[in-house]
Amino acid sequence: MNYNGRRLYSVHTREEIREKMMKEVVQITEVFSLSLSDATVILVHLCWNLCKASDRLVDDKEKFLSELGLVGSSDEDLEVTGEGDDNLMSTSFCSHKFSRDCWRDYLSKTLKKKKKEDERVLLISCLTQDCHASVGPDTVEKLGEPVKKMYERYLLASFMESNKETIKRCPDCDDYAIKRHDEVPSEDFDVVCLCGHIFCWNCQLESHRPVTCNNASLWLNELLYKSRNLARTTKRIKHCPECYSLVENHDGVWKCTDCSVSQPSNDLALIRHMTLWETSDAALQRSKWDLEAVEEKIMDANCLRELDMKAIREAWMLTVQCRLVLKWSCVFGYFISDYHIAKKEYLDYLREKATANLSKHKETLHKVTDGIISGGGGIIAFREKLGDTTETTGNYFRFFVKTLEDGLCDVKVDAYEDVTTDYWFCDRCTFKNDSFDQECRMCVFSFESPPHVALCNVNSSASSHQQQQVTNVPNK
């Protein structure tokens, strides 16, 4: 992914993110002569805001440390729970001693609780009620690996949550996190994690272009379930060959209900697009299996150069990305208004062309990959073909996605020209306007809460892309 020649994001291991976190801790430590433990507590409390931490420490360092329980208490009372002095410990800022087992139990429960609450703001303090002595890494260090690892996960989660605009963990694995580059605008884009998972930066659902985040969520959480239920019901119903009324299957016997009510067209459309979705999803899974098989071949072929291995992986990963686009274009088709029959037909045509293009790419990949891995003759020619097919297919699918996200604007709306009506449809976004409207209300006004929009003409900005709404679908 590139933006004006720059990469949109980079993929990092959790350890690399932790190193970035610790650099901020060290920075506060060195500037204000604090311990690493105290600096960590301060940054967690202030949501890892370095500027705010600096301001508070400059204004009144002692007062701020006192508020956070990072100064010694004058209370010398000793509270003991458990047996054996060697097993007792307290925070660095008070003398309230408890057994290590009590501390472990307390911190385990507290850290689990903070996962459900606002873990960035609440401080962890001494077990003694009304004692505000802070518990930091120096106290946790004394309790052994299980609690220490839990606390480190808590710190990392706090750091990532506080930087969620620029850092997000991969939703499919625990190994990697993605950092959006600072110079990149805050807009939607797809992320390819090193684990192979492809997801949307904005909503973290599976990559769903050209469908908006809202519509993708609606499809996955509501419409897909509804369509499968409708499909099961439809299998039990057909039309009577004599009177064309609905006939229902009762224990293997078809009975005519003599009913003239047919299944709603929007239900049939939902079933059709669900069937296309599932067929495309099966093709996507096969592409993922092909990618895994090729990666195994690459691992076995020790003679390949690193650049060749990278080029082969990217070419095969492109097939997965293209299959994702084809899969979600089925959902995109469902959200096109029935009024736009021409747009539906144009979408079907583009899908057919894109599928044919991908099939050609995959056929070329098989030949080129086998040729490169086997070390056959004409290796340079193989590499050129690999680059050509990857570039050609990638460019075509970028055009395909952009055409859909722009609302298939090449297709003009020409219905109802000779019919007097009290409404008209916008050629650009398909919004149904009143006859007295001189301009489309949806194109002129904000996209905040449009009442009924079939398919907006999405411009290149991410904000409008994310605000595309649907029609013919009930709200949650």
Side-chain angles (χ1 to χ4, degrees):
M1 277 286 182
N2 294 286
Y3 174 76
N4 292 338
R6 301 175 180 174
R7 290 188 61 82
L8 293 176
Y9 64 89
S10 52
V11 183
H12 300 269
T13 63
R14 293 176 68 86
E15 183 58 32
E16 288 172 337
I17 298 297
R18 183 182 178 279
E19 289 176 2
K20 175 177 174 59
M21 177 186 76
M22 289 307 300
K23 283 182 180 179
E24 297 190 6
V25 174
V26 171
Q27 184 175 340
I28 291 293
T29 297
E30 293 177 346
V31 173
F32 295 99
S33 301
L34 297 168
S35 69
L36 289 173
S37 180
D38 290 359
T40 301
V41 172
I42 290 171
L43 288 173
V44 169
H45 176 67
L46 296 178
C47 305
W48 298 89
N49 188 324
L50 283 170
C51 293
K52 192 172 182 179
S54 298
D55 290 343
R56 292 296 304 272
L57 289 166
V58 168
D59 289 343
D60 194 331
K61 178 179 176 181
E62 293 304 319
K63 180 182 177 181
F64 183 45
L65 294 179
S66 178
E67 289 175 0
L68 299 186
L70 294 175
V71 294
S73 172
S74 59
D75 182 5
E76 298 298 332
D77 293 336
L78 185 64
E79 182 172 337
V80 178
T81 302
E83 298 180 358
D85 290 343
D86 292 340
N87 193 41
L88 300 179
M89 58 171 282
S90 65
T91 71
S92 301
F93 307 104
C94 71
S95 56
H96 301 128
K97 294 187 177 181
F98 295 87
S99 71
R100 281 176 167 77
D101 288 339
C102 287
W103 276 110
R104 292 187 187 102
D105 183 61
Y106 165 68
L107 287 176
S108 296
K109 290 179 179 178
T110 302
L111 292 173
K112 288 177 182 178
K113 181 181 179 182
K114 286 184 182 294
K115 280 187 176 181
K116 302 176 183 178
E117 299 176 354
D118 192 346
E119 60 199 60
R120 300 166 299 165
V121 178
L122 298 177
L123 293 173
I124 305 176
S125 57
C126 174
L127 278 79
T128 302
Q129 191 174 5
D130 298 329
C131 177
H132 301 296
S134 185
V135 175
D138 54 356
T139 304
V140 176
E141 186 76 26
K142 305 172 185 177
L143 298 174
E145 284 303 315
V147 176
K148 182 181 175 182
K149 287 183 178 179
M150 186 180 295
Y151 184 75
E152 288 176 349
R153 287 195 296 269
Y154 156 72
L155 290 180
L156 190 59
S158 171
F159 178 76
M160 292 181 66
E161 175 63 22
S162 299
N163 291 275
K164 61 184 178 182
E165 296 301 320
T166 57
I167 301 177
K168 294 182 180 180
R169 59 169 59 90
C170 173
D172 199 54
C173 74
D174 292 327
D175 298 326
Y176 300 104
I178 288 76
K179 183 179 185 302
R180 177 176 63 82
H181 292 180
D182 294 336
E183 67 273 12
V184 175
S186 299
E187 59 183 16
D188 182 22
F189 54 85
D190 289 340
V191 172
V192 182
C193 180
L194 291 179
C195 72
H197 184 59
I198 308 172
F199 65 95
C200 170
W201 170 264
N202 182 63
C203 67
Q204 294 187 273
L205 292 174
E206 172 188 77
S207 173
H208 50 73
R209 294 183 70 186
V211 178
T212 64
C213 295
N214 288 340
N215 285 356
S217 178
L218 179 62
W219 176 264
L220 292 173
N221 296 323
E222 182 178 329
L223 296 178
L224 193 56
Y225 175 79
K226 177 183 176 182
S227 65
R228 286 167 176 165
N229 283 340
L230 287 171
R232 285 191 290 269
T233 302
T234 303
K235 289 180 181 179
R236 300 196 303 268
I237 298 175
K238 64 181 181 180
H239 288 279
C240 172
E242 299 295 331
C243 66
Y244 295 99
S245 296
L246 290 181
V247 183
E248 192 167 356
N249 190 338
H250 294 277
D251 298 325
V253 179
W254 291 95
K255 295 183 180 180
C256 179
T257 61
D258 194 23
C259 173
S260 61
V261 180
S262 62
Q263 189 171 13
S265 60
N266 58 331
D267 285 354
L268 294 175
L270 185 57
I271 294 172
R272 173 177 176 268
H273 287 91
M274 180 273 293
T275 302
L276 287 172
W277 156 277
E278 293 190 333
T279 301
S280 297
D281 186 61
L284 170 64
Q285 297 306 317
R286 288 193 293 272
S287 291
K288 290 181 178 179
W289 295 334
D290 288 342
L291 176 61
E292 291 177 2
V294 168
E295 286 179 337
E296 289 182 4
K297 288 183 179 180
I298 291 176
M299 294 299 292
D300 293 338
N302 297 324
C303 59
L304 286 180
R305 297 187 310 166
E306 184 176 349
L307 287 178
D308 290 333
M309 294 170 65
K310 182 180 178 182
I312 293 174
R313 283 195 184 98
E314 288 181 351
W316 281 96
M317 177 60 75
L318 179 62
T319 66
V320 176
Q321 293 172 288
C322 292
R323 286 295 179 190
L324 266 173
V325 170
L326 289 171
K327 171 182 169 180
W328 282 96
S329 68
C330 302
V331 179
F332 183 90
Y334 173 75
F335 289 123
I336 297 179
S337 169
D338 288 338
Y339 168 68
H340 278 173
I341 300 300
K343 289 194 174 186
K344 289 178 178 286
E345 292 175 350
Y346 187 43
L347 172 60
D348 290 341
Y349 167 76
L350 290 177
R351 275 180 49 81
E352 183 178 346
K353 292 278 289 183
T355 302
N357 191 297
L358 180 58
S359 297
K360 184 178 180 181
H361 171 68
K362 190 173 179 180
E363 181 180 346
T364 303
L365 275 188
H366 277 294
K367 295 179 181 178
V368 171
T369 303
D370 290 342
I372 291 178
I373 291 178
S374 64
I379 191 77
I380 296 178
F382 279 136
R383 290 169 185 156
E384 290 178 354
K385 288 182 180 179
L386 183 65
D388 289 344
T389 186
T390 301
E391 182 179 4
T392 301
T393 306
N395 287 339
Y396 184 86
F397 270 82
R398 276 188 285 275
F399 158 78
F400 178 53
V401 170
K402 187 177 187 306
T403 300
L404 270 58
E405 289 179 342
D406 285 346
L408 297 165
C409 57
D410 290 339
V411 180
K412 301 299 180 182
V413 180
D414 55 321
Y416 305 125
E417 288 182 352
D418 299 324
V419 180
T420 301
T421 64
D422 58 356
Y423 57 86
W424 58 276
F425 290 91
C426 174
D427 286 351
R428 180 175 181 271
C429 71
T430 78
F431 180 70
K432 184 178 178 180
N433 295 275
D434 293 328
S435 58
F436 54 79
D437 288 327
Q438 298 298 312
E439 295 180 294
C440 174
R441 285 183 287 148
M442 190 52 53
C443 295
V444 172
F445 298 118
S446 169
F447 286 86
E448 288 293 327
S449 301
H452 300 288
V453 184
L455 179 67
C456 293
N457 182 16
V458 187
N459 60 32
S460 60
S461 70
S463 58
S464 60
H465 174 60
Q466 294 307 323
Q467 291 161 339
Q468 176 185 346
Q469 305 292 317
V470 300
T471 190
N472 298 329
V473 182
N475 293 327
K476 291 185 179 178

